[in-house]
Amino acid sequence: EVQLVESGGGLVQPGGSLRLSCAASGFAFSSYDMSWVRQAPGKGLEWVSGINSGADTTRYADSVKGRFTISRDNAKNTLYLQMNSLKPEDTAVYFCVRWSIATMTGIRPEGQGTQVTVSS
């Protein structure tokens, strides 16, 4: 059974930082490109960042470029998202997904996500 368990979200002030984690199991994590997507209240899913299976290529949405850093540890089957200089518009539920950064296609969220709220 595929499991993707996101954690690390919370309430943070504008300008603050958070580090999200995603623990993966039930599939060959090291063989998959992975991404983070988010869903703000009342809005659809937005792709945020992706990393290839070998962790040597990353991509970012323009809205987070220079502020967020994606990484992975294939030995630990874990995906990360370091988020700095957070803005209120980053408020959303964040999901890790199996998502090709070459084709920008993949599988919709399979986990519960982690809530990030940026507010003073």
Side-chain angles (χ1 to χ4, degrees):
E1 177 190 4
V2 171
Q3 287 195 324
L4 293 168
V5 180
E6 301 92 345
S7 63
L11 173 64
V12 62
Q13 293 186 341
S17 298
L18 284 173
R19 188 193 195 203
L20 306 184
S21 297
C22 171
S25 62
F27 67 100
F29 178 77
S30 62
S31 296
Y32 281 82
D33 291 6
M34 297 293 294
S35 284
W36 288 94
V37 299
R38 65 189 181 186
Q39 187 164 26
K43 297 188 177 180
L45 285 173
E46 176 190 14
W47 177 85
V48 174
S49 179
I51 187 168
N52 72 334
S53 58
D56 57 7
T57 302
T58 58
R59 294 183 64 180
Y60 297 91
D62 287 344
S63 58
V64 307
K65 199 171 295 183
R67 300 187 298 121
F68 290 11
T69 302
I70 191 171
S71 61
R72 67 191 295 165
D73 185 336
N74 285 342
K76 295 182 178 180
N77 286 356
T78 303
L79 179 72
Y80 303 100
L81 186 68
Q82 177 67 43
M83 305 188 297
N84 299 328
S85 302
L86 283 160
K87 304 175 181 180
E89 51 264 43
D90 295 317
T91 295
V93 179
Y94 284 72
F95 302 90
C96 62
V97 293
R98 294 186 279 176
W99 196 268
S100 167
I101 63 169
T103 64
M104 290 302 284
T105 59
I107 301 171
R108 293 181 64 83
E110 300 168 275
Q112 296 300 308
T114 186
Q115 175 71 50
V116 171
T117 302
V118 185
S119 175
S120 55

